[in-house]
Amino acid sequence: MSSEQQAVARARKAFETGRSKSLEHRIRQLKNLQRLFTERQKEISDAIKKDLNKSEVGTQLYETLGLEGEISLAIKKLKEWAAPRTVEKNLLTLSDTVYIKPEPLGVVLIIGAWNYPWAVTIQPLIGAIAAGNAAVIKPSEVCVHTAKVMEDLLPVYIDKELYPVVTGGVSETQELLRQRFDHIFYTGNSMVGKLIMEAAAKHLTPVTLELGGKSPCYIDKNCDISVACRRVAWGKYTNCGQTCIAPDYILCEPSIQDQVIEEVKKSIKEFYTDNPKTCPDYGRIINQRHFKRIMTMLDDSTIAVGGDNDESDCYIAPTVLRDVKPEAKVMQEEIFGPLLPILSVSGLDEAIKFINKGEKPLALYVFTPNDKVIKRMVDETSSGGLLANDCLVHYSVSSLPFGGVGNSGMGCYHGKFSFDQLSHQRSCLIKKLNMEGVNSMRYPPHTPKKLGWARFFILNNVDLGWIGRMALLAVLAVVAAVVLQNYLL
């Protein structure tokens, strides 16, 4: 038996003990996970510095701070989320107990990504723990140092049988995917997402796929272009552009292209100094393979800002490309790097048409002071999320579901959405062995009169107060007696 099989078997065996279902156990595990981020921040930050050149403050700001907030929310709300949920009744179920009971799915596989290795791996783990599941955690092997820290630290703080960490590369992931899980949660690209879904289909395992795509950014000529470009530059160049919801490209009218370029250039200097290579807040491309992939995208486009690079350091400067054509290399796939193409459109109509010709993106950004422009973007396009007049920050709102649509993914998480995504919403109807007369309408022989009574009872939902329910129950008792006596014939 492989180490991956053993990890899954241990998690399954631990889940079958039932201990993960206890709310007290879930809260204790979440508190332990929270303690990890306060006690071992230095080790977390040092590893991410080696992997992505993120500063310690940047690591807390973009990786662990949000996780601490998610854990606090889950601890605070868990009893409410896990409680049975009452539902509306019809006349046939008026005297019954009808509710939805969230219950654990079982053993969840969580496959993390390398660009925000803690944030996108631990966020779904929080949901898995809160929902009462066991979870096998597979951090991305691309972040070598961070994967090792996860492997070392997570078993110290949380139940190592219920939540084992499996490290390794493609072969280890493939071996995991051959095992049977109750849910698979993957963050990454659409190409691998298809392989995950194919593997899951063999066991009819449901999946959550958090993918990406080319997230458009439309800048209206009537907005405050200076502020808009400052926010776009922050959203684009954070983590060296390696963010799944980074603005992938700008759409704007030709008349403002030069101003957009100048304002983005100013913001680059403000954020990262005249020499971003020496700035502690500017990251690096994860490895040389991705460096070469990104540099190839520059072949047929005109550089307006930046372009400096150093393969030995995996450094690519914040770069702006002007007059980019739709058929350019940089427009054929998600960039996932610090290149910002600008494409000219004649206005809002053409921008919407261009966006709708492509795959549905994970995020869509629009900068405008005009509510009508925003409304048209909301009404006439489709994307995982839409944000007006800012970038990225919708990810931090726990009350909003985060996820893609179409090619950018399926399923969503954050806050209660994580809990619900990794729970089974079990339908429960508790009846008593009385009022059998009402049931006569469903028993053969079937007659038009029985059908008439069935229509009355099934098609009428009720929303009554306590007194109304008591009165209606009395009436139904009488009806049941009459029905029983006459057999509805």
Side-chain angles (χ1 to χ4, degrees), residues 231-441:
R231 295 180 184 183
V232 171
W234 169 73
K236 179 65 180 183
Y237 301 118
T238 290
N239 201 31
C240 207
Q242 298 165 121
T243 304
C244 60
I245 51 172
D248 191 271
Y249 60 91
I250 288 174
L251 297 171
C252 68
E253 294 184 31
S255 61
I256 65 168
Q257 180 178 223
D258 288 341
Q259 187 180 356
V260 167
I261 291 169
E262 191 58 35
E263 293 297 341
V264 172
K265 183 178 180 181
K266 286 180 186 176
S267 295
I268 291 171
K269 181 177 180 180
E270 176 190 350
F271 297 159
Y272 305 116
T273 75
D274 285 320
N275 187 6
K277 191 174 184 181
T278 62
C279 178
D281 291 315
Y282 188 69
R284 294 294 183 271
I285 303 303
I286 185 66
N287 56 34
Q288 291 189 341
R289 179 173 69 85
H290 280 281
F291 174 92
K292 291 175 181 175
R293 177 187 64 81
I294 296 165
M295 290 304 298
T296 300
M297 294 181 179
L298 291 170
D299 288 350
D300 55 357
S301 292
T302 302
I303 296 173
V305 177
D308 302 337
N309 62 88
D310 179 352
E311 183 174 348
S312 65
D313 192 29
C314 288
Y315 168 77
I316 301 175
T319 299
V320 181
L321 307 176
R322 67 174 302 136
D323 299 315
V324 174
K325 303 299 181 187
E327 59 273 14
K329 289 182 180 179
V330 75
M331 293 303 296
Q332 304 313 306
E333 63 178 80
E334 183 180 5
I335 297 167
F336 225 64
L339 312 183
L340 182 57
I342 302 177
L343 286 78
S344 293
V345 289
S346 58
L348 179 62
D349 288 344
E350 188 179 353
I352 290 173
K353 286 179 183 177
F354 186 87
I355 291 166
N356 288 336
K357 277 196 302 184
E359 298 282 3
K360 295 179 180 179
L362 185 55
L364 192 158
Y365 302 108
V366 52
F367 287 83
T368 179
N370 190 331
D371 290 342
K372 291 181 179 178
V373 172
I374 296 172
K375 187 175 188 306
R376 284 197 60 192
M377 276 291 189
V378 171
D379 292 345
E380 298 178 30
T381 63
S382 178
S383 60
L386 181 143
L387 180 53
N389 297 317
D390 209 344
C391 292
L392 311 188
V393 294
H394 62 298
Y395 182 89
S396 66
V397 182
S398 295
S399 55
L400 286 175
F402 181 82
V405 58
N407 207 61
S408 58
M410 62 181 68
C412 62
Y413 70 128
H414 286 193
K416 184 174 181 291
F417 298 100
S418 299
F419 178 90
D420 287 343
Q421 182 82 130
L422 296 174
S423 297
H424 169 55
Q425 308 301 320
R426 191 179 193 182
S427 303
C428 297
L429 171 60
I430 314 300
K431 297 180 74 72
K432 293 184 172 62
L433 291 170
N434 58 13
M435 296 185 70
E436 180 66 1
V438 175
N439 291 332
S440 296
M441 72 184 75

Side-chain angles (χ1 to χ4, degrees), residues 13-318:
K13 185 176 179 180
F15 177 76
E16 288 171 353
T17 67
R19 68 177 182 265
S20 67
K21 296 183 179 181
S22 157
L23 291 190
E24 292 76 16
H25 181 275
R26 303 184 205 183
I27 290 172
R28 185 165 57 251
Q29 296 300 306
L30 290 170
K31 286 182 176 178
N32 288 344
L33 191 58
Q34 194 170 44
R35 196 159 48 83
L36 184 156
F37 294 116
T38 56
E39 294 179 356
R40 312 305 281 265
Q41 187 64 55
K42 181 78 165 60
E43 289 149 274
I44 291 169
S45 297
D46 286 350
I48 290 185
K49 177 71 175 176
K50 293 174 184 175
D51 288 326
L52 287 158
N53 198 44
K54 288 183 185 175
S55 66
E56 184 172 349
V57 173
T59 295
Q60 292 187 52
L61 189 60
Y62 297 112
E63 294 272 359
T64 61
L65 183 60
L67 295 177
E68 292 179 60
E70 285 279 314
I71 295 170
S72 295
L73 179 66
I75 292 170
K76 179 182 176 182
K77 295 285 190 177
L78 185 56
K79 289 183 180 178
E80 176 187 324
W81 294 347
R85 304 170 190 179
T86 57
V87 296
E88 191 177 70
K89 303 178 183 181
N90 60 25
L91 292 176
L92 280 175
T93 58
L94 190 65
S95 63
D96 306 326
T97 303
V98 188
Y99 61 94
I100 298 168
K101 184 181 185 299
E103 65 177 24
L105 293 170
V107 181
V108 176
L109 172 62
I110 297 170
I111 304 176
W114 54 262
N115 57 328
Y116 292 90
W118 283 92
V120 300
T121 307
I122 303 303
Q123 279 254 18
L125 176 61
I126 294 166
I129 294 172
N133 298 293
V136 177
I137 303 143
K138 171 61 180 67
S140 172
E141 71 279 7
V142 178
C143 273
V144 179
H145 303 91
T146 298
K148 183 68 170 70
V149 170
M150 278 192 198
E151 183 183 27
D152 292 344
L153 293 186
L154 284 175
V156 174
Y157 285 85
I158 57 177
D159 190 322
K160 62 184 179 182
E161 293 179 335
L162 277 170
Y163 318 114
V165 180
V166 175
T167 57
V170 173
S171 61
E172 287 80 6
T173 303
Q174 289 174 335
E175 179 63 24
L176 280 173
L177 289 171
R178 281 190 277 269
Q179 312 311 308
R180 186 179 192 123
F181 290 94
D182 299 290
H183 196 97
I184 297 175
F185 197 114
Y186 167 75
T187 302
N189 63 62
S190 59
M191 181 182 70
V192 177
K194 292 174 184 177
L195 299 176
I196 300 289
M197 201 168 180
E198 183 180 358
K202 293 176 182 176
H203 298 293
L204 292 180
T205 301
V207 298
T208 301
L209 302 178
E210 296 298 334
L211 308 177
K214 296 184 76 63
S215 296
C217 176
Y218 175 67
I219 299 180
D220 184 355
K221 67 180 179 181
N222 297 314
C223 76
D224 186 327
I225 293 175
S226 177
V227 172
C229 291
R230 194 167 189 264
R231 295 180 184 183
V232 171
W234 169 73
K236 179 65 180 183
Y237 301 118
T238 290
N239 201 31
C240 207
Q242 298 165 121
T243 304
C244 60
I245 51 172
D248 191 271
Y249 60 91
I250 288 174
L251 297 171
C252 68
E253 294 184 31
S255 61
I256 65 168
Q257 180 178 223
D258 288 341
Q259 187 180 356
V260 167
I261 291 169
E262 191 58 35
E263 293 297 341
V264 172
K265 183 178 180 181
K266 286 180 186 176
S267 295
I268 291 171
K269 181 177 180 180
E270 176 190 350
F271 297 159
Y272 305 116
T273 75
D274 285 320
N275 187 6
K277 191 174 184 181
T278 62
C279 178
D281 291 315
Y282 188 69
R284 294 294 183 271
I285 303 303
I286 185 66
N287 56 34
Q288 291 189 341
R289 179 173 69 85
H290 280 281
F291 174 92
K292 291 175 181 175
R293 177 187 64 81
I294 296 165
M295 290 304 298
T296 300
M297 294 181 179
L298 291 170
D299 288 350
D300 55 357
S301 292
T302 302
I303 296 173
V305 177
D308 302 337
N309 62 88
D310 179 352
E311 183 174 348
S312 65
D313 192 29
C314 288
Y315 168 77
I316 301 175

Side-chain angles (χ1 to χ4, degrees), residues 433-486:
L433 291 170
N434 58 13
M435 296 185 70
E436 180 66 1
V438 175
N439 291 332
S440 296
M441 72 184 75
R442 73 190 188 193
Y443 298 144
H446 300 306
T447 67
K449 184 178 278 190
K450 286 183 178 182
L451 176 60
W453 279 106
R455 291 182 65 83
F456 173 76
F457 278 96
I458 292 173
L459 299 181
N460 285 284
N461 289 346
V462 292
D463 186 13
L464 303 171
W466 181 81
I467 295 176
R469 285 196 297 271
M470 293 302 100
L472 191 56
L473 277 172
V475 171
L476 287 176
V478 174
V479 170
V482 172
V483 168
L484 185 60
Q485 184 177 1
N486 294 288

